[in-house]
Amino acid sequence: MKKSGGFIILLVLVFFLAGCASAEFDEAALSGESKAYTQSLIDGDYDSVAAGVSASVSDRLNADILRQGWENIAPVLGGFEQIEDATFTEDGNSAVVGVTCAFANRNLLLTYTFNGKGEIAGLWMTYLPKPAQPQETDAYKEKVVSVGNEDAPLEGILTMPKGAENPPAVLIVAGSGQQDMDETVGAAGNKPLADLAHGLAEHGIASLRYNKRTAQYPNLPQDPKDITIQYEVLDDAAAGAELLKNTEGIDARHVYVLGHSLGGMLAPKIAQDNGLAGLISLAGSPRSLEDIMLDQNRAAIEAAEGVSDQDRQAALAQAGALAEAAKNAKEGGTGVILNATENYWYTLNQVDTPGIVQSLDIPMLFLQGDADFQVSPEADFGAWKELLSGRQNAAFKLYPGLNHLFMPAGETGTISDYDAPASVDPQVTEDISSWIFSGN
């Protein structure tokens, strides 16, 4: 997870790929070697992997860098289960092998690029969602569903309360980054979106949650500028809303969107575009994402120890310049700013959240934890209240002692707090359910 990468953004470790001359490749041999290298990383034998690296990239893929990279991601993976499979492709000049590994909390894709000599020329590690794990209790039953584009469907879970006739339903939209359907986070594998779905079901409310497209298909689209806010969030949210409205046994007149973090920022847009009955924003904001990231970066820079005043001021200036560049991103731009392309920032900036939320006459519920260190209770939750002051269709609640995930706050006030086992406070789902059934 990156502290400066938005609301909740999972770490992706990337090493640039070096080119090489045209060559013939042995698929079986390279696939076997890739699995062996992967096992070495898991076992902590970084020297064996570094020995297979091309000299042209050895300064970026030496044993120390491999160790640092693996130790950064390993804690949130959970216990190792197995190496599952390997895929092979070649492009004349290079061969690419993708190795998928199963871990307790989430899966991992390791993508190796080999040059014509069979040496590692690049390595890319990307989190993958675990296969859906539907549950059944006395209160609810879940089933796996497909959401979105038929050519590249997303795996999701529909949660239906037992004993509820024609229940209302909630479309759950995750925060920023490569999120799985549960928004799995931290070394303990906490699952805030699953907690919300199950808590709502216990109160008689159906829900749908699903993997984000950038999580389930990390290698798509091939052209980075095609990753827009429509691609990342809005198109699949529309498909999810349509699925709920057409699910037998759900009250199609009472389908709500519940967005967390970036999903909460976009909840007004999703509700407006899809004719939904209302919206629930959890730790969202009407401010721009780049302004929120700037606040996060400034706080991290100010808190850094052992940094000279000169370096601190330089870092603050750079953070401000990056935020300004994101604000001024051009349509179709391919440059990368704050972990996303210019075109992504351009499309996100076209969503006028303040204007949309002020135009809506549907019921709206805004929730925030007062111990949230990622989205400000004052600047962000306060901005919602200011925009909607005096509006009878807007309700607000601030929860003492809860963090960005609506779980009890930890001691550090940093993302390391998410590593401890925790669950969403039951009061949150009780309040959402009461609001829905009260007629808002």
Side-chain angles (χ1 to χ4, degrees), residues 2 98 123 173 213 235 256 288 309-310 335 337 352 357 377 403 413:
K2 291 183 180 176
L123 174 58
V173 180
R213 187 159 297 280
D235 289 345
Y256 298 77
S288 71
D309 288 342
Q310 182 177 357
I337 306 167
D352 179 15
V357 78
N403 62 22

Side-chain angles (χ1 to χ4, degrees), residues 38 42 101 290 419:
T38 299
I42 293 166
C101 303
E290 50 265 46
D419 290 334

Side-chain angles (χ1 to χ4, degrees), residues 220-307:
L220 295 177
Q222 293 183 345
D223 189 339
K225 75 172 183 296
D226 290 336
I227 301 180
T228 63
I229 199 62
Q230 287 79 15
Y231 175 88
E232 186 199 28
V233 179
L234 298 177
D235 289 345
D236 294 318
E242 190 66 17
L243 186 153
L244 284 175
K245 289 181 179 180
N246 289 285
T247 296
E248 184 177 357
I250 283 177
D251 184 353
R253 300 166 303 168
H254 291 93
V255 174
Y256 298 77
V257 58
L258 183 159
H260 177 238
S261 205
L262 176 65
M265 174 187 289
L266 295 171
K269 171 72 169 171
I270 294 167
Q272 181 188 64
D273 287 353
N274 298 286
L276 300 183
L279 69 90
I280 304 112
S281 175
L282 275 66
S285 177
R287 295 197 302 148
S288 71
L289 179 57
E290 50 265 46
D291 281 341
I292 295 168
M293 293 176 70
L294 177 58
D295 287 350
Q296 293 175 351
N297 287 332
R298 282 174 172 166
I301 293 167
E302 294 290 359
E305 298 179 356
V307 179

Side-chain angles (χ1 to χ4, degrees), residues 265-420:
M265 174 187 289
L266 295 171
K269 171 72 169 171
I270 294 167
Q272 181 188 64
D273 287 353
N274 298 286
L276 300 183
L279 69 90
I280 304 112
S281 175
L282 275 66
S285 177
R287 295 197 302 148
S288 71
L289 179 57
E290 50 265 46
D291 281 341
I292 295 168
M293 293 176 70
L294 177 58
D295 287 350
Q296 293 175 351
N297 287 332
R298 282 174 172 166
I301 293 167
E302 294 290 359
E305 298 179 356
V307 179
S308 70
D309 288 342
Q310 182 177 357
D311 288 344
R312 196 183 309 276
Q313 291 305 313
L316 289 169
Q318 182 183 33
L322 288 170
E324 193 64 23
K327 284 187 178 182
N328 295 308
K330 304 299 183 184
E331 183 176 10
T334 57
V336 176
I337 306 167
L338 293 170
N339 304 314
T341 64
E342 277 193 80
N343 198 47
Y344 176 86
W345 286 109
Y346 173 83
T347 60
L348 178 58
N349 291 338
Q350 301 314 298
V351 180
D352 179 15
T353 296
I356 292 171
V357 78
Q358 287 181 308
S359 73
L360 294 175
D361 59 6
I362 59 174
M364 298 179 284
L365 177 63
F366 300 90
L367 307 178
Q368 178 97 26
D370 77 349
D372 190 333
F373 55 84
Q374 293 184 269
V375 175
S376 167
E378 295 80 18
D380 298 297
F381 187 64
W384 288 126
K385 296 181 75 172
E386 184 176 347
L387 278 170
L388 299 167
S389 176
R391 294 282 294 272
Q392 297 301 308
N393 63 324
F396 306 88
K397 184 166 182 179
L398 187 65
Y399 293 88
L402 297 189
N403 62 22
H404 186 64
L405 305 180
F406 291 81
M407 297 174 176
E411 297 180 358
T412 69
T414 69
I415 56 174
S416 63
D417 289 344
Y418 300 158
D419 290 334

Side-chain angles (χ1 to χ4, degrees), residues 74-91:
V76 300
L77 293 171
F80 171 66
E81 294 177 349
Q82 63 180 352
I83 295 175
E84 293 191 330
D85 56 25
T87 60
F88 177 90
T89 58
E90 62 177 287
D91 185 22

